[in-house]
């Protein structure tokens, strides 16, 4: 299911794209740390001294399972000397907090993420991570622990950039 093999109508297929410069990095710079083989919610990997947890929490997934999946990454956050990012499509709508037009039950996950020591890297540019004929929303996020936050100069939701086969916009963070 990384990615799923069945045909998609623009919903339910997920992935995490990491771009690396082959002239600067080597394959040993990357290591997969954990992959959820049960619910297919996340993959954690290390790039040099940075750890990234990439998530897709489908709307149909029970809130308890979503919370448990997020907590699997807690062991990577516990190391206070490590820069850790938690990114992805959480299908979490926060209403006033993110200036989204709606709030859903997934908003309770925000507190779990904060308790893990992460803060949201609010985009300096752009806002809506999904903007389609069905409506617009903010469901994709980049969170960072304090060490990782110091590495980020800016975060941007690209208004005109889409990944083929996805209804979500590209989000990028620039290193300071």
């Amino acid at each position: 299911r990384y990615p799923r093999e069945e045909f998609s109508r623009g919903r339910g297929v997920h992935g995490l794209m990491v771009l690396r410069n082959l002239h600067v990095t080597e394959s040993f710079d990357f290591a997969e740390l954990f992959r959820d083989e049960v619910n297919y919610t996340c993959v954690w990997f290390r790039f040099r001294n940075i750890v990234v947890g990439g998530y897709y929490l489908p709307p149909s997934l029970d809130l308890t399972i979503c919370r448990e999946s997020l907590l699997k990454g807690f062991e990577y956050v516990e190391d206070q000397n490590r820069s850790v990012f938690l990114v992805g499509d959480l299908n979490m709508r926060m209403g006033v907090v993110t200036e989204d037009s709606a709030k859903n039950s997934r908003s309770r996950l925000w507190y779990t993420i904060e308790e893990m020591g992460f803060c949201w890297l609010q985009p300096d540019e752009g806002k809506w991570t999904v903007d389609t004929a069905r409506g617009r929303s903010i469901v994709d996020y980049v969170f960072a622990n304090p060490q990782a936050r110091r590495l980020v100069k800016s975060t941007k939701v690209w208004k005109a950039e889409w990944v083929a086969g996805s209804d979500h916009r590209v989000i990028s963070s620039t290193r300071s």
Side-chain angles (χ1 to χ4, degrees):
R1 290 179 60 165
Y2 288 91
R4 286 193 220 167
E5 294 178 8
E6 66 264 16
F7 176 75
S8 170
R9 289 186 171 77
R11 299 179 65 94
V13 172
H14 58 282
L16 175 68
M17 183 186 332
V18 177
L19 304 176
R20 80 176 170 105
N21 184 330
L22 296 175
H23 298 288
V24 178
T25 63
E26 301 291 335
S27 60
F28 59 79
D29 287 332
F30 287 88
E32 185 174 297
L33 303 172
F34 173 78
R35 180 185 299 246
D36 179 359
E37 298 285 357
V38 177
N39 295 302
Y40 308 100
T41 57
C42 66
V43 59
W44 282 85
F45 64 92
R46 177 190 49 77
F47 170 68
R48 294 186 177 160
N49 62 340
I50 297 171
V51 173
V52 178
Y55 279 81
Y56 172 65
L57 302 178
S60 60
L61 195 63
D62 181 74
L63 189 62
T64 303
I65 295 172
C66 292
R67 186 174 188 282
E68 289 170 1
S69 178
L70 289 169
L71 290 173
K72 287 177 186 175
F74 192 69
E75 68 181 88
Y76 305 115
V77 183
E78 286 182 313
D79 181 351
Q80 298 299 313
N81 297 316
R82 187 176 279 177
S83 297
V84 183
F85 292 92
L86 189 152
V87 302
D89 180 355
L90 306 180
N91 281 297
M92 174 175 67
R93 298 192 65 187
M94 292 302 301
V96 175
V97 174
T98 60
E99 299 175 1
D100 195 345
S101 58
K103 185 174 182 176
N104 63 14
S105 63
R106 290 279 175 91
S107 63
R108 289 179 261 173
L109 296 175
W110 189 274
Y111 306 107
T112 299
I113 294 167
E114 283 184 334
E115 288 170 5
M116 292 171 63
F118 288 103
C119 66
W120 177 42
L121 300 183
Q122 184 172 2
D124 303 290
E125 187 177 333
K127 177 178 177 178
W128 306 107
T129 62
V130 176
D131 191 355
T132 67
R134 293 180 302 214
R136 58 187 185 179
S137 62
I138 300 169
V139 295
D140 304 285
Y141 296 90
V142 176
F143 290 95
N145 72 349
Q147 295 77 7
R149 178 66 189 108
R150 288 190 283 272
L151 298 175
V152 177
K153 178 180 174 183
S154 64
T155 300
K156 177 179 180 177
V157 176
W158 292 78
K159 292 181 183 178
E161 298 298 325
W162 303 82
V163 176
S166 175
D167 58 352
H168 296 252
R169 291 185 170 156
V170 173
I171 303 174
S172 66
S173 292
T174 305
R175 192 166 178 160
S176 44

